[in-house]
């Protein structure tokens, strides 16, 4: 059966987590697979999304469910355009969620009305987000009517930023190491070794090892954004 593009992306995201766990070979069980810090273990899942996000890659294995025909250029173009329709708003929404997540977990209520104090703290944070946005007030447009509607607020404890961070990081790694030939043995072998190590060494260095020489050497706060921005604009 065919999958909508958004479902296919989610499917490959979860496949990234599954493969990280299945291929992991570690001495200690509690450091295998995805048993690590969330900003590290979200990288493989975001990288695997590119096997759907990159239409040229998708066309190498995606075929028509009945005829078996390969994906046509027209369908590739439609796939790209539908994904990009609200790409910038989606990225902005994730940035807003990350700000709310960190604001929520940085609030230490001291009054007899902690709920009211938390609400006021979040409102201040969202107001600052609007004030610092180059696009003007956007939180109402992006849609966060109340914190209880933000499902991930419970699970991430101030680290929801990892989604946007790993979208940018995985876009850079894909662009420099996988885009030209996603199934080449060289990048594939490096990815296999990365997954095999589980979460024993949870550092940017292990991710940079996937890159060809000269494409790494940056700090976490300096992750190159060019590939991610090109992805948002469909270049």
């Amino acid at each position: 059966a065919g999958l909508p593009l958004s479902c296919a992306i989610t499917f490959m995201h979860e496949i990234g987590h599954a493969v990280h766990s299945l291929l992991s070979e570690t001495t200690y069980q509690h450091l295998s697979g995805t048993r690590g810090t969330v900003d590290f273990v979200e990288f493989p899942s975001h990288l695997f999304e590119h096997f759907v996000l990159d239409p040229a890659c998708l066309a190498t294995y995606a075929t028509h469910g009945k005829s078996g025909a390969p994906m046509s250029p027209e369908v590739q173009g439609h796939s790209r355009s539908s994904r990009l329709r609200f790409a910038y708003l989606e990225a902005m929404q994730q940035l807003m969620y990350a700000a709310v997540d960190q604001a929520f977990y940085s609030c230490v209520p001291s009054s007899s009305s902690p709920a009211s104090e938390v609400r006021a703290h979040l409102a201040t944070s969202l107001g600052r987000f609007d004030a610092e946005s180059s696009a003007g007030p956007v939180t109402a447009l992006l849609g966060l009517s109340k914190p209880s509607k933000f499902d991930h607020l419970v699970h991430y404890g101030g680290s929801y930023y990892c989604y946007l961070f790993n979208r940018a990081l995985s876009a850079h790694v894909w662009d420099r190491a996988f885009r030209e030939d996603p199934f080449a043995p060289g990048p594939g072998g490096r990815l296999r070794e990365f997954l095999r190590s589980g979460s024993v060494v949870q550092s940017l260095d292990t991710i940079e090892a996937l890159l060809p020489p000269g494409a790494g050497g940056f700090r976490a706060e300096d992750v190159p954004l060019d590939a991610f921005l090109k992805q948002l604009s469909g270049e």
Side-chain angles (χ1 to χ4, degrees), residues 3 20 61 73 123 146 194 221 226:
L3 285 176
H20 195 187
Y61 66 88
K146 56 182 67 176
F194 173 85
E221 61 267 32
D226 54 336

Side-chain angles (χ1 to χ4, degrees), residues 113-134:
S113 301
S116 299
E117 192 171 344
V118 170
R119 281 196 296 270
H121 183 71
L122 293 180
T124 299
S125 176
L126 288 172
R128 186 164 56 249
F129 186 88
D130 274 336
E132 295 175 354
S133 169
S134 59

Side-chain angles (χ1 to χ4, degrees), residues 10-11 17 23 31-32 36 45 59 63 71 84 94 108 115 136 150 167 198 207 213-214 217-218 226 235:
T10 300
F11 176 78
H17 285 311
L23 298 185
L31 291 175
S32 68
S45 56
T63 58
M71 180 180 287
L84 297 173
Q94 282 196 304
V108 182
F150 181 21
R167 283 182 67 186
I207 294 174
F218 48 81
D226 54 336
E235 294 182 28

Side-chain angles (χ1 to χ4, degrees), residues 52-64:
V52 176
L53 287 172
D54 189 325
C57 176
L58 182 63
T60 64
Y61 66 88
T63 58
H64 192 278

